[in-house]
Amino acid sequence: MNYDKVYDLARDIKESDEFRAYAAQKAKVDADPNAKRMLEDFRKQQLGMEMRQMQGEAPSQADVEQLRRLYETINMHTEIRELFASEQRLIQMVQDIQRIIAEPFQGLLGFPETEGGT
């Protein structure tokens, strides 16, 4: 296995428009103490809910509604909204990379084949 190609991929990711846009937008949010605090509070609540779900605990409707309202509130902040948008583009890029990397394993390890063979 030539790990040099993996390191090249990591470098390419860091140099990608998606990564750079996300890093720049995160810096803008981090530079605004109010936006940073709002985002951190949202992420803590989001992570807490995900952790409870991983432990088999279904979130209450009130918790889901509270997180939804918090998301809607912080999404009104321009810098946070733009961070979420750049985060989505970065996540899409990572998902595409994961799909491509997983392709050789389809069928071999019992992974279902996807449409089109990819």
PDB file of all heavy atoms in Angstrom, residues 5 9 19 25 55 84 94 96 112 115:
ATOM      1  N   LYS A   5      -0.058   8.353  -1.299  1.00  0.00           N
ATOM      2  CA  LYS A   5      -1.276   8.824  -1.960  1.00  0.00           C
ATOM      3  C   LYS A   5      -2.323   9.268  -0.933  1.00  0.00           C
ATOM      4  O   LYS A   5      -3.082  10.204  -1.175  1.00  0.00           O
ATOM      5  CB  LYS A   5      -1.840   7.746  -2.874  1.00  0.00           C
ATOM      6  CG  LYS A   5      -0.949   7.507  -4.083  1.00  0.00           C
ATOM      7  CD  LYS A   5      -1.525   6.460  -4.993  1.00  0.00           C
ATOM      8  CE  LYS A   5      -0.580   6.248  -6.171  1.00  0.00           C
ATOM      9  NZ  LYS A   5      -1.125   5.301  -7.138  1.00  0.00           N
ATOM     10  N   LEU A   9      -3.920  12.907  -0.564  1.00  0.00           N
ATOM     11  CA  LEU A   9      -5.351  13.172  -0.439  1.00  0.00           C
ATOM     12  C   LEU A   9      -5.616  14.116   0.735  1.00  0.00           C
ATOM     13  O   LEU A   9      -6.392  15.066   0.604  1.00  0.00           O
ATOM     14  CB  LEU A   9      -6.134  11.872  -0.268  1.00  0.00           C
ATOM     15  CG  LEU A   9      -7.633  12.012  -0.002  1.00  0.00           C
ATOM     16  CD1 LEU A   9      -8.339  12.732  -1.146  1.00  0.00           C
ATOM     17  CD2 LEU A   9      -8.252  10.636   0.226  1.00  0.00           C
ATOM     18  N   PHE A  19     -12.796  22.998   2.150  1.00  0.00           N
ATOM     19  CA  PHE A  19     -12.107  23.048   3.441  1.00  0.00           C
ATOM     20  C   PHE A  19     -11.736  24.484   3.789  1.00  0.00           C
ATOM     21  O   PHE A  19     -11.939  24.937   4.914  1.00  0.00           O
ATOM     22  CB  PHE A  19     -10.861  22.159   3.405  1.00  0.00           C
ATOM     23  CG  PHE A  19     -10.180  22.021   4.742  1.00  0.00           C
ATOM     24  CD1 PHE A  19     -10.530  21.001   5.602  1.00  0.00           C
ATOM     25  CD2 PHE A  19      -9.188  22.906   5.128  1.00  0.00           C
ATOM     26  CE1 PHE A  19      -9.908  20.861   6.833  1.00  0.00           C
ATOM     27  CE2 PHE A  19      -8.562  22.781   6.354  1.00  0.00           C
ATOM     28  CZ  PHE A  19      -8.917  21.761   7.213  1.00  0.00           C
ATOM     29  N   GLN A  25     -14.858  30.549   7.398  1.00  0.00           N
ATOM     30  CA  GLN A  25     -16.134  30.884   8.022  1.00  0.00           C
ATOM     31  C   GLN A  25     -16.105  30.567   9.511  1.00  0.00           C
ATOM     32  O   GLN A  25     -16.644  31.310  10.316  1.00  0.00           O
ATOM     33  CB  GLN A  25     -17.284  30.148   7.325  1.00  0.00           C
ATOM     34  CG  GLN A  25     -18.634  30.706   7.650  1.00  0.00           C
ATOM     35  CD  GLN A  25     -18.770  32.170   7.280  1.00  0.00           C
ATOM     36  OE1 GLN A  25     -18.314  32.622   6.232  1.00  0.00           O
ATOM     37  NE2 GLN A  25     -19.387  32.937   8.152  1.00  0.00           N
ATOM     38  N   GLN A  55     -27.130   5.644  23.250  1.00  0.00           N
ATOM     39  CA  GLN A  55     -27.323   4.787  24.426  1.00  0.00           C
ATOM     40  C   GLN A  55     -28.717   4.165  24.443  1.00  0.00           C
ATOM     41  O   GLN A  55     -29.105   3.518  25.407  1.00  0.00           O
ATOM     42  CB  GLN A  55     -27.089   5.594  25.700  1.00  0.00           C
ATOM     43  CG  GLN A  55     -25.658   6.070  25.840  1.00  0.00           C
ATOM     44  CD  GLN A  55     -25.471   7.053  26.985  1.00  0.00           C
ATOM     45  OE1 GLN A  55     -26.428   7.551  27.569  1.00  0.00           O
ATOM     46  NE2 GLN A  55     -24.219   7.326  27.301  1.00  0.00           N
ATOM     47  N   PHE A  84     -22.857  26.931   8.582  1.00  0.00           N
ATOM     48  CA  PHE A  84     -23.615  25.705   8.351  1.00  0.00           C
ATOM     49  C   PHE A  84     -23.607  25.323   6.870  1.00  0.00           C
ATOM     50  O   PHE A  84     -23.472  24.154   6.523  1.00  0.00           O
ATOM     51  CB  PHE A  84     -25.059  25.848   8.840  1.00  0.00           C
ATOM     52  CG  PHE A  84     -25.233  25.790  10.333  1.00  0.00           C
ATOM     53  CD1 PHE A  84     -26.345  26.361  10.929  1.00  0.00           C
ATOM     54  CD2 PHE A  84     -24.315  25.163  11.155  1.00  0.00           C
ATOM     55  CE1 PHE A  84     -26.539  26.300  12.299  1.00  0.00           C
ATOM     56  CE2 PHE A  84     -24.490  25.107  12.536  1.00  0.00           C
ATOM     57  CZ  PHE A  84     -25.605  25.673  13.108  1.00  0.00           C
ATOM     58  N   VAL A  94     -16.589  14.959   1.943  1.00  0.00           N
ATOM     59  CA  VAL A  94     -16.083  13.825   2.722  1.00  0.00           C
ATOM     60  C   VAL A  94     -16.917  12.575   2.445  1.00  0.00           C
ATOM     61  O   VAL A  94     -16.368  11.476   2.294  1.00  0.00           O
ATOM     62  CB  VAL A  94     -16.055  14.166   4.228  1.00  0.00           C
ATOM     63  CG1 VAL A  94     -15.747  12.933   5.068  1.00  0.00           C
ATOM     64  CG2 VAL A  94     -15.030  15.269   4.499  1.00  0.00           C
ATOM     65  N   ASP A  96     -18.489  11.863  -0.304  1.00  0.00           N
ATOM     66  CA  ASP A  96     -18.111  11.405  -1.646  1.00  0.00           C
ATOM     67  C   ASP A  96     -16.799  10.624  -1.590  1.00  0.00           C
ATOM     68  O   ASP A  96     -16.668   9.569  -2.220  1.00  0.00           O
ATOM     69  CB  ASP A  96     -17.971  12.586  -2.607  1.00  0.00           C
ATOM     70  CG  ASP A  96     -19.299  13.245  -2.943  1.00  0.00           C
ATOM     71  OD1 ASP A  96     -20.361  12.643  -2.680  1.00  0.00           O
ATOM     72  OD2 ASP A  96     -19.264  14.380  -3.473  1.00  0.00           O
ATOM     73  N   PRO A 112     -23.654  -4.002   0.774  1.00  0.00           N
ATOM     74  CA  PRO A 112     -24.516  -4.064  -0.403  1.00  0.00           C
ATOM     75  C   PRO A 112     -23.962  -3.208  -1.520  1.00  0.00           C
ATOM     76  O   PRO A 112     -23.367  -2.160  -1.292  1.00  0.00           O
ATOM     77  CB  PRO A 112     -25.859  -3.506   0.102  1.00  0.00           C
ATOM     78  CG  PRO A 112     -25.513  -2.690   1.305  1.00  0.00           C
ATOM     79  CD  PRO A 112     -24.269  -3.299   1.890  1.00  0.00           C
ATOM     80  N   GLU A 115     -26.363   1.348  -6.573  1.00  0.00           N
ATOM     81  CA  GLU A 115     -26.765   1.476  -7.973  1.00  0.00           C
ATOM     82  C   GLU A 115     -25.611   1.991  -8.796  1.00  0.00           C
ATOM     83  O   GLU A 115     -24.845   2.827  -8.360  1.00  0.00           O
ATOM     84  CB  GLU A 115     -27.937   2.457  -8.102  1.00  0.00           C
ATOM     85  CG  GLU A 115     -29.263   1.791  -7.847  1.00  0.00           C
ATOM     86  CD  GLU A 115     -30.397   2.727  -8.169  1.00  0.00           C
ATOM     87  OE1 GLU A 115     -30.350   3.427  -9.192  1.00  0.00           O
ATOM     88  OE2 GLU A 115     -31.350   2.742  -7.380  1.00  0.00           O
TER      89      GLU A 115
END
